[in-house]
Amino acid sequence: MLHLPRASIVLALAVGVVGQGILSPPPESRALQCVLTDAWPSGPGTPLLPQIPPADLQSIMRQVNPANINATIVKLVSFGTRNTLSSQTDPVRGIGAARDWIATQMRAYAAAARAGTTASVEVSGYEQQPANSIPFAVNISNVVGTIQGSEEPTRVYIITGHYDSRNSNVTNFEDDAPGADDDASGVAVAMELFRIMVKMAPPKATIMLGAVAGEEQGLFGSGFFAKQMKAAGMDVQGMFTNDIVGSSKADNGVVDAHSIRLFAQGIPSTATLAQSQARVSVGGENDSPARELARFVDSVASNAFTDMTVRVIYRLDRFLRGGDHRPFLEQGFPAARFTEPNENFAHQHQNVRVDPTTGVQFGDLIEFCDMNYIARVARVNAAAIWSLAQAPGTPKGVSIDTSQLTNNSTLKWTAGSSTSLAGYEIVWRPTTAFSWQAVVPVGLVSQATIALSKDDAIFGVRAVGKNGYRSPAAYPCANC
Ligand SMILES: *[C@@H]1O[C@H](CO)[C@@H](O)[C@H](O)[C@H]1NC(C)=O
Ligand SMILES: *[C@@H]1O[C@H](CO)[C@@H](O)[C@H](O)[C@H]1NC(C)=O
Ligand SMILES: *[C@@H]1O[C@H](CO)[C@@H](O)[C@H](O)[C@H]1NC(C)=O
Ligand SMILES: *[C@@H]1O[C@H](CO)[C@@H](O)[C@H](O)[C@H]1NC(C)=O
Ligand SMILES: *[C@@H]1O[C@H](CO)[C@@H](O)[C@H](O)[C@H]1NC(C)=O
Ligand SMILES: [Zn+2]
């Protein structure tokens, strides 16, 4: 007896399709969600409204400066090539010079940290032996700035870009590979946030902002970083790669300067077959930790303060491409990828050249970057990571009682011990909706019953800090 109005579904799809074709496309998930799910099912709680950025976060967003982002990209491009196989010792050309400049710059930021805020910069890595796309042994080095959490230093949130670049030939380490968009833009985002956030009072959990290498040859730097976090026992509750976040304009003339795609995987990479089956059997395939992280980013970052819409894509990555979030997913950490909405493939992984017949300029040149757009992307990232690090951690051990047939839903979780925890909220949405639609505050407890059937809705539990920041929701699935 399900009353999904069929006419509304058709209408919603039509809105989505029309929207794709003209002007700036609306986030398709949103367009669908409002029409599809209005008023069904009804249940307890109040409508869940997006979080307004608190004053500290607004201050961070205001400080993002497109001129700094431009200066960082200009400098990174000036190293000629940043191919991972290029010189590690030449002081002006190659990846070694880029690594040293990033480290020096980040250390200068750390040195200017606010009193009481612990900020440090580490260059760490390993010697990669010859492998596919790595013809000879090469050092892979990551430059990572850390702002230590004041209450839970081992709960960690990470943003990276990759500072290595490539041209048409992934092993060509001599010719120019400016890599302005791919991925000096992502590095500039991470560095700009480090510059600003070291000046704030320390967040409750640890923030890491870094530049990694070896992405183009096989995600080597990020793989090392993810394993390093796992080996150190860090509780990484969110990781984002910013990779190709520099341009708002595609070669077909489409301009979309106010949205950013966020790629988020469904069933986790690390799930066993039994865990995947358990997840699918309860309709939890759309509620992996990566998807909850993506919903969270949308809720804190699609707003007038960022002047951006986060377009969540239900997919690990684009076709034929990989990204630095994947190694984190493979270590069991929630992770997602930011990428501009309209990629221009003539500007990526291409030798710098003008096609003699068409006159088309190829190559990843800085002239194709939009610094104001990258600044908005940085504000989206700021909203995401600062909101995560100031909130209590995502609830753990969340399950739903399925021992009896009842008309209501009982959720249980492990109570957190942080002194800045104010309590918990149950959030829910119709199964077909993109985002959480209603919220029921339940207090500082570890169990709650909601008068709404678990058959008809999807539930989550989120933690609320005394400072008002909320965690991402955790989906109840004891055996996933
Ligand atoms: C970026 O910086 C360079 C070097 O200072 C300057 O020439 C250029 O105009 C700047 N571009 C933008 C978009 O600010
Ligand atoms: C990697 O760096 C170490 C330390 O600087 C150096 O001894 C080693 O030779 C480097 N390896 C390669 C392949 O360049
Ligand atoms: C790519 O570059 C490497 C290093 O310069 C060179 O050995 C190789 O022949 C190039 N491959 C192609 C297809 O041009
Ligand atoms: C569940 O709800 C239905 C419809 O409101 C009602 O008929 C039924 O008695 C309820 N069952 C229980 C166990 O409360
Ligand atoms: C849950 O359902 C049971 C059985 O229908 C009912 O007795 C109980 O009052 C309900 N609890 C809540 C909090 O709705
Ligand atoms: Zn890239």
Side-chain angles (χ1 to χ4, degrees):
M1 277 306 289
L2 201 148
H3 297 291
L4 268 187
R6 189 153 286 279
S8 299
I9 297 172
V10 173
L11 175 63
L13 290 172
V15 167
V17 170
V18 172
Q20 293 284 346
I22 50 163
L23 302 171
S24 67
E28 59 278 21
S29 45
R30 285 272 173 88
L32 274 171
Q33 157 208 335
C34 11
V35 185
L36 254 184
T37 58
D38 261 355
W40 193 94
S42 60
T46 53
L48 194 154
L49 303 172
Q51 302 186 40
I52 305 290
D56 56 345
L57 176 53
Q58 286 187 34
S59 157
I60 290 168
M61 290 198 266
R62 271 196 305 272
Q63 292 175 63
V64 172
N65 184 346
N68 288 340
I69 287 168
N70 178 53
T72 297
I73 298 175
V74 166
K75 187 68 189 178
L76 289 171
V77 168
S78 78
F79 298 110
T81 175
R82 304 186 308 279
N83 188 294
T84 293
L85 304 167
S86 63
S87 175
Q88 306 244 340
T89 50
D90 187 308
V92 296
R93 186 175 175 89
I95 193 165
R99 171 203 61 212
D100 294 346
W101 177 78
I102 295 167
T104 302
Q105 194 72 8
M106 300 255 301
R107 286 189 173 123
Y109 294 155
R114 177 191 177 115
T117 297
T118 306
S120 58
V121 176
E122 204 185 331
V123 180
S124 60
Y126 72 106
E127 190 178 281
Q128 172 64 44
Q129 296 310 309
N132 198 19
S133 300
I134 303 269
F136 47 82
V138 65
N139 278 324
I140 308 271
S141 303
N142 299 331
V143 186
V144 178
T146 301
I147 303 170
Q148 199 180 318
S150 60
E151 287 184 10
E152 295 174 73
T154 61
R155 175 160 63 92
V156 178
Y157 300 95
I158 299 170
I159 289 173
T160 67
H162 68 85
Y163 70 98
D164 64 307
S165 67
R166 62 167 291 181
N167 53 33
S168 304
N169 174 356
V170 70
T171 58
N172 178 325
F173 52 85
E174 280 165 331
D175 297 320
D176 279 356
D181 193 355
D182 186 11
D183 184 32
S185 65
V187 173
V189 166
M191 289 178 70
E192 180 66 353
L193 295 189
F194 189 63
R195 180 186 75 81
I196 298 166
M197 288 180 181
V198 298
K199 296 222 166 110
M200 305 297 293
K204 299 194 183 304
T206 292
I207 288 177
M208 291 181 151
L209 299 160
V212 300
E215 195 273 348
E216 301 292 5
Q217 280 77 11
L219 316 177
F220 289 109
S222 194
F224 174 79
F225 193 3
K227 285 185 199 139
Q228 203 181 21
M229 291 293 102
K230 185 82 173 181
M234 292 297 176
D235 182 14
V236 180
Q237 293 198 5
M239 182 274 176
F240 304 96
T241 174
N242 281 260
D243 195 353
I244 311 180
V245 296
S247 171
S248 54
K249 188 167 178 228
D251 54 354
N252 60 6
V254 174
V255 178
D256 181 354
H258 297 272
S259 82
I260 181 82
R261 290 183 292 170
L262 181 59
F263 288 85
Q265 177 191 54
I267 293 178
S269 308
T270 47
T272 61
L273 182 58
Q275 287 169 328
S276 303
Q277 287 168 338
R279 184 175 280 281
V280 169
S281 74
V282 295
E285 61 275 5
N286 193 16
D287 282 78
S288 61
R291 293 263 165 97
E292 305 306 8
L293 189 62
R295 289 188 181 97
F296 177 87
V297 174
D298 176 55
S299 76
V300 300
S302 292
N303 56 41
F305 298 89
T306 60
D307 199 11
M308 292 283 273
T309 298
V310 177
R311 293 173 60 200
V312 174
I313 311 277
Y314 285 157
R315 180 166 283 141
L316 171 61
D317 210 325
R318 299 105 72 238
F319 285 97
L320 301 176
R321 291 292 173 89
D324 283 331
H325 56 317
R326 203 173 75 202
F328 281 83
L329 289 164
E330 286 167 354
Q331 294 300 326
F333 301 133
R337 172 190 186 126
F338 285 112
T339 297
E340 67 196 31
N342 299 291
E343 292 174 81
N344 187 326
F345 302 112
H347 300 165
Q348 302 172 1
H349 302 191
Q350 293 287 344
N351 290 343
V352 178
R353 66 190 190 280
V354 175
D355 184 297
T357 48
T358 61
V360 171
Q361 174 74 61
F362 284 79
D364 192 353
L365 300 171
I366 195 167
E367 67 202 61
F368 302 125
C369 287
D370 174 345
M371 302 309 161
N372 291 319
Y373 175 73
I374 303 171
R376 286 191 289 276
V377 174
R379 291 185 190 107
V380 167
N381 277 269
I385 201 163
W386 194 256
S387 301
L388 287 162
Q390 286 289 57
T394 305
K396 296 191 178 189
V398 184
S399 66
I400 192 159
D401 184 352
T402 54
S403 59
Q404 297 179 54
L405 293 173
T406 65
N407 281 348
N408 50 34
S409 308
T410 297
L411 291 111
K412 297 177 184 173
W413 56 93
T414 307
S417 55
S418 162
T419 50
S420 47
L421 186 66
Y424 293 90
E425 292 174 340
I426 308 293
V427 291
W428 65 266
R429 67 181 203 270
T431 60
T432 50
F434 163 67
S435 58
W436 304 109
Q437 298 196 343
V439 56
V440 185
V442 294
L444 198 50
V445 295
S446 59
Q447 172 172 338
T449 298
I450 300 295
L452 174 60
S453 171
K454 54 195 163 294
D455 299 331
D456 297 341
I458 291 178
F459 291 94
V461 182
R462 67 181 190 179
V464 183
K466 287 178 181 160
N467 58 5
Y469 281 94
R470 266 87 173 157
S471 77
Y475 177 75
C477 198
N479 302 316
C480 300

